[in-house]
Amino acid sequence: MNKESKEKGPKLVIIGGGTGSSVLLRGLKKYTSNITAIVTVADDGGGSGKLREDLGMLPPGDIRSCILALADTEPIMEKLLQYRFQEGSLKGQNFGNLFIAAMNEITGNFEQAVKNISDVLKVKGTVIPVTLENIILIAELENGEFVRGESQIPIVAKEKQQRIKRVFIDPSKVAPHQDAIQAIQEADGIILGPGSLYTSIIPNLLVDGLSDAISKAKGVKFYVSNIMTQPGETDCYTVIDHVKAILNHVKYSNRNSMVEYIIANNGSIPEYLLQKYREDGSTMVIYNNDKQLKKYPYSFIVDDFVEIKKDYVRHNADKVARIICNLIKEKKLAKEELSFTDSII
């Protein structure tokens, strides 16, 4: 796709956080520069959690990953911003997180810090925290136990061998970032996932107004299913189990208009790599058979989306992005043709 057509590409919103969003963003930016990433701020683990606790700022980790995915910067700069200190008092801390923390201190405003860093790194698109308020993610397990803190949820669920019944945020009422709402309203396409179901995707939908905005939006709505299950979060989940979990966390009135297309993988993974994932408690997400899927009101896009990099299973982001953008383009053209025909009649 040439530069001119890329700049005129579809307006896309991707909702999530972490590795899943950043992988797909790298594919999407090849087809359009009109991208908004709406990112969870529930992270409380690792270096992000420490900065959140020490400086009272929103966690920068997922924001950083999405900024770098959309950045037009030199490889050495990306390497620097991804660098994690190995020794001393900064051991385990990420330089990119510290960069955001420093900008936050300079501006006194997390939102402005994200904008400034996006400008410095020539980000093609916009990265927005879903809310500017401090939130804590809490899970209720099937045994009735409550687990407080995003980083602890999969750990405790795995230790107790309990499925997650639901997640919610404290405080329960928080205002969304208004730019996020506007981006959803104006989007040609809205993408949920891929990413950690209960700790990256669903937390965004718990922020006031987000699921309502998605439900009412006119853009084409996609859910990109994970390829592998996540220990402590989605053990033994099928594609439909993922979607049901999302719908169970939004208002009943929104459920039928949250997702139109489900993108699912039916590609295979080498046995040696499957074994490595099994040892960590992860298996392939099962694609429900066609007979089971007929009762659901979704269109399914099923293909081999597996890409293996450094022995990690990822989505083939270019393939997923191409399918999404082509489908949006086709639907737009069909709508324009229908409108033109109606005007003649």
Side-chain angles (χ1 to χ4, degrees):
M1 185 174 281
N2 61 42
K3 184 180 178 183
E4 185 180 354
S5 60
K6 178 179 166 184
E7 288 175 351
K8 292 178 180 177
K11 291 182 180 179
L12 300 181
V13 169
I14 180 167
I15 300 170
T19 303
S21 290
S22 60
V23 167
L24 186 51
L25 285 170
R26 290 177 190 276
L28 292 171
K29 73 177 183 180
K30 296 176 184 177
Y31 295 89
T32 177
S33 56
N34 295 321
I35 303 172
T36 300
I38 299 173
V39 185
T40 179
V41 289
D43 187 9
D44 67 345
S48 279
K50 187 163 176 53
L51 289 172
R52 179 178 180 172
E53 184 181 342
D54 290 350
L55 302 179
M57 65 181 287
L58 290 175
D62 287 348
I63 297 277
R64 181 203 79 241
S65 295
C66 291
I67 287 175
L68 283 176
L70 291 173
D72 181 15
T73 189
E74 297 297 323
I76 189 66
M77 179 60 78
E78 181 169 352
K79 216 177 237 187
L80 175 65
L81 291 168
Q82 293 283 42
Y83 178 74
R84 200 170 291 278
F85 291 89
Q86 304 299 315
E87 303 292 341
S89 60
L90 290 177
K91 185 176 180 179
Q93 190 56 265
N94 177 283
F95 180 76
N97 287 354
L98 296 177
F99 186 25
I100 295 174
M103 190 69 79
N104 183 62
E105 292 285 300
I106 290 168
T107 62
N109 182 302
F110 188 80
E111 180 182 13
Q112 191 59 48
V114 172
K115 285 180 180 176
N116 288 356
I117 288 172
S118 296
D119 290 341
V120 168
L121 297 178
K122 299 176 184 176
V123 165
K124 303 299 182 187
T126 308
V127 180
I128 303 173
V130 66
T131 180
L132 294 172
E133 298 183 43
N134 189 37
I135 60 173
I136 302 294
L137 188 67
I138 303 169
E140 180 184 2
L141 305 183
E142 286 191 336
N143 66 355
E145 184 176 348
F146 291 90
V147 185
R148 189 176 178 87
E150 179 267 345
S151 62
Q152 291 301 305
I153 291 168
I155 294 172
V156 175
K158 187 178 178 181
E159 284 176 354
K160 300 289 178 74
Q161 296 186 333
Q162 290 289 320
R163 278 193 167 198
I164 296 168
K165 183 178 179 182
R166 67 181 178 116
V167 292
F168 56 97
I169 54 174
D170 181 21
S172 59
K173 296 284 185 183
V174 292
H177 196 304
Q178 285 307 303
D179 287 353
I181 299 295
Q182 185 176 344
I184 290 168
Q185 291 169 340
E186 297 174 355
D188 297 311
I190 300 160
I191 306 159
L192 294 172
S196 300
L197 181 63
Y198 289 102
T199 53
S200 288
I201 298 171
I202 291 175
N204 293 291
L205 306 179
L206 302 176
V207 172
D208 279 0
L210 250 289
S211 64
D212 275 341
I214 296 168
S215 176
K216 293 172 184 174
K218 299 190 186 315
V220 188
K221 298 157 195 176
F222 300 87
Y223 173 64
V224 182
S225 175
N226 291 342
I227 294 174
M228 306 300 295
T229 62
Q230 187 166 352
E233 281 203 44
T234 55
D235 302 277
C236 303
Y237 269 40
T238 66
V239 171
I240 287 297
D241 287 334
H242 283 75
V243 178
K244 282 181 177 177
I246 289 171
L247 300 186
N248 286 339
H249 282 82
V250 301
K251 292 178 183 176
Y252 184 82
S253 58
N254 294 345
R255 290 181 186 177
N256 289 334
S257 49
M258 288 292 293
V259 175
E260 293 175 76
Y261 290 88
I262 296 174
I263 296 177
N265 172 64
N266 66 358
S268 59
I269 297 170
E271 182 57 34
Y272 82 91
L273 197 51
L274 276 177
Q275 183 56 37
K276 177 186 171 185
Y277 273 88
R278 284 191 205 107
E279 289 169 3
D280 291 331
S282 181
T283 58
M284 288 189 74
V285 172
I286 299 167
Y287 168 62
N288 310 66
N289 66 51
D290 292 337
K291 188 176 180 181
Q292 289 176 310
L293 296 177
K294 281 180 182 175
K295 61 183 179 181
Y296 296 102
Y298 314 115
S299 296
F300 290 85
I301 301 169
V302 184
D303 206 337
D304 181 354
F305 292 113
V306 172
E307 184 169 86
I308 296 167
K309 289 187 175 179
K310 298 180 180 177
D311 277 356
Y312 284 98
V313 176
R314 299 283 184 256
H315 281 86
N316 182 326
D318 183 75
K319 189 172 183 177
V320 175
R322 185 170 66 250
I323 285 171
I324 288 172
C325 291
N326 284 343
L327 182 59
I328 290 170
K329 185 178 178 181
E330 287 169 13
K331 287 182 80 75
K332 254 185 151 181
L333 286 172
K335 195 178 288 185
E336 287 169 7
E337 286 174 7
L338 185 61
S339 178
F340 178 71
T341 303
D342 288 345
S343 67
I344 292 174
I345 296 169

